[in-house]
Amino acid sequence: MTEKVAVLLGGHSAEREVSLRSGTAVLNALLASGVNAFAFDPKLQPITELVTSGATKVFIVLHGRGGEDGTMQGALQTLGLAYTGSGVLGSALAMDKIRCKRLFQAQNLATAPFAVVHSQDTDFASLLADLGGKVMVKPANEGSSIGMSAANNVAELEQAVKNALVYDTEILIERWISGREFTVSIVNDQVLPIIEMRTPHDFYDYDAKYQANTTEYLCPAPISAEQTALMQQCALQAFKAVGASGWGRVDLMMDSAGQHYLLEVNTVPGMTEKSLVPMAAKAAGMSFQQLVVAILAQADSHTTSKTELMSK
């Protein structure tokens, strides 16, 4: 059967616009590589139309809920379609920042102390004191820094939680780490060169990622060979701890003492030609087209054939 690849982009999440840009870049790279590929936006057409479209593989470039959290992976598996990236469990666990943190702790992987809240009915003064006086507030299941904010006092914390509750019912509150921000990309078990992100913003937020022209990217990151090896090893351990596979990105911080802390695992990170995974791949000598083809090559690892499904 001739390979026909559906590029899933857009979707329903808060990261729709970023996904449309990522998906378009991936689609263009596949077409330039001679792959028979087409765009498919599940917001505009039912996912079952993938079966009648003749697609044999699916390249998932849906960021956030509905594409990165295991739901789409489960649907594609049920339809018997091969797809890129992590499976159902790895996708779901990586998307949930709170479960990620607990897995990191269980594996003795360094991550910042944290608390979980479900509403504003919380003793914020005690929580803030327990976490060192400054914190980062995050919705448990959002990406691209959406709904995230820092808080230095009780009033700011109350407002930050209120803002985060717009996106989720479960909110992660982490001790603030002052230091440098890094990301480690992984493609088919190959750990790529580390990138350091530098921004004049309080942290690497949505604006710093997608809109500002003041963000600096240093790749390979200017850290020692020993720090590089430790951070890459930690990132790969975190990636495997949540059951992620195929490709993705792990974000970390490093404090002034040189200690690194895991932040989160991304199983469908940005894929515009200026995104972080393509940047790391380029530093490793891999073009954007080569990167996309390498990710696609892994797609068969989760599929259950239609014949197998019918025989059960």
Side-chain angles (χ1 to χ4, degrees), residues 49-173:
E49 286 188 8
L50 280 171
V51 176
T52 55
S53 73
T56 56
K57 289 185 180 180
V58 176
F59 198 123
I60 301 175
V61 207
L62 294 169
H63 306 316
R65 294 182 181 182
E68 198 170 355
D69 59 2
T71 55
M72 183 59 67
Q73 288 75 11
L76 295 174
Q77 215 151 303
T78 300
L79 293 172
L81 289 169
Y83 59 90
T84 56
S86 297
V88 176
L89 181 62
S91 300
L93 287 173
M95 187 70 191
D96 190 323
K97 294 180 179 67
I98 292 168
R99 272 78 199 169
C100 258
K101 296 277 284 188
R102 289 173 176 156
L103 281 167
F104 297 160
Q105 288 181 326
Q107 295 286 318
N108 294 316
L109 298 171
T111 191
F114 68 99
V116 178
V117 300
H118 299 87
S119 71
Q120 289 188 285
D121 299 326
T122 303
D123 182 354
F124 287 120
S126 296
L127 189 153
L128 195 62
D130 290 343
L131 292 175
K134 183 175 182 179
V135 294
M136 177 62 79
V137 179
K138 306 175 180 180
N141 293 279
E142 282 293 346
S144 291
S145 301
I146 291 170
M148 285 173 51
S149 51
N152 289 281
N153 55 54
V154 172
E156 287 181 357
L157 180 53
E158 288 176 344
Q159 185 60 48
V161 170
K162 182 179 179 180
N163 293 343
L165 283 167
V166 171
Y167 298 96
D168 212 324
T169 57
E170 213 171 22
I171 309 303
L172 173 68
I173 303 177

Side-chain angles (χ1 to χ4, degrees), residues 253-276:
M253 294 281 299
M254 182 189 289
D255 65 18
S256 57
Q259 170 66 51
H260 59 257
Y261 297 88
L262 286 161
L263 297 178
E264 60 185 83
V265 176
N266 304 275
T267 55
V268 188
M271 276 295 284
T272 69
E273 298 207 29
K274 294 184 179 179
S275 294
L276 298 175

Side-chain angles (χ1 to χ4, degrees), residues 219-239:
C219 184
I223 54 178
S224 70
E226 182 183 10
Q227 287 173 321
T228 297
L230 286 171
M231 196 177 290
Q232 287 179 323
Q233 180 184 27
C234 180
L236 189 58
Q237 286 178 307
F239 192 72

Side-chain angles (χ1 to χ4, degrees), residues 20-34:
L20 287 169
R21 299 208 304 267
S22 289
T24 299
V26 167
L27 176 62
N28 290 337
L30 288 173
L31 292 172
S33 300

Side-chain angles (χ1 to χ4, degrees), residues 15-16 44 65 122 139 154 169 179 190 251 261 285 298 311:
E15 298 178 75
R16 174 175 171 79
L44 305 180
R65 294 182 181 182
T122 303
V154 172
T169 57
Q190 179 186 356
D251 298 336
Y261 297 88
Q298 173 267 344
S311 66

